[in-house]
Amino acid sequence: QVQLVESGGGLVQAGGSLRLSCAASGRTFSNRHMGWFRQAPGKEREFVAAINLNGISTAYADSVKGRFTISRDNAKKTAYLQMNSPKPEDTAVYYCAATRPRDNWPGQRRDEFDYWGQGTQVTVSS
């Protein structure tokens, strides 16, 4: 099974920027679709962004579209979430996730992602 470790979270001022990283173990990173989800206190874990196995296709939640960018570097076995102009409502624990190797496009469904990191806290101050 692949292991995922998020990093890059922390405090950021509204209107600033932050980049989250998700480092993956194993040899099949390039065969997995990757995603980012977040969970704020009192809320369910929600979809943020996803990127397909070759990095060509992406999907974003309406709430972050135009501000966040998902990317990946298969050589480094790492996925990224660039957060530009974050808002206080973006405050949450952010999780990266991966599908099974060679799986179909998962869309925004949590249950299509089988592997999860432990999360990294992002706090946006106004």
Side-chain angles (χ1 to χ4, degrees):
Q1 297 181 343
V2 65
Q3 294 188 63
L4 306 173
V5 180
E6 303 96 335
S7 63
L11 300 173
V12 62
Q13 187 75 21
S17 65
L18 197 67
R19 189 180 75 163
L20 307 183
S21 298
C22 176
S25 67
R27 302 177 180 178
T28 59
F29 177 79
S30 62
N31 295 120
R32 305 174 187 269
H33 308 295
M34 300 295 296
W36 286 95
F37 293 76
R38 67 187 182 187
Q39 187 167 21
K43 297 183 179 180
E44 295 185 356
R45 192 168 300 185
E46 66 175 355
F47 171 82
V48 176
I51 187 167
N52 81 324
L53 75 175
N54 59 24
I56 295 177
S57 298
T58 59
Y60 297 93
D62 290 341
S63 59
V64 306
K65 191 175 182 65
R67 299 186 298 117
F68 293 4
T69 302
I70 187 172
S71 62
R72 66 191 297 161
D73 186 334
N74 286 350
K76 296 182 178 180
K77 299 181 180 179
T78 303
Y80 305 94
L81 184 69
Q82 179 68 41
M83 304 171 60
N84 293 331
S85 300
K87 305 174 182 178
E89 51 263 44
D90 294 319
T91 295
V93 176
Y94 283 71
Y95 300 87
C96 67
T99 66
R100 298 174 181 175
R102 302 175 300 280
D103 207 356
N104 293 322
W105 175 244
Q108 302 182 176
R109 296 186 60 179
R110 294 194 306 272
D111 59 2
E112 294 295 328
F113 292 87
D114 295 299
Y115 306 98
W116 296 82
Q118 293 300 307
T120 184
Q121 176 71 47
V122 173
T123 302
V124 184
S125 61
S126 60

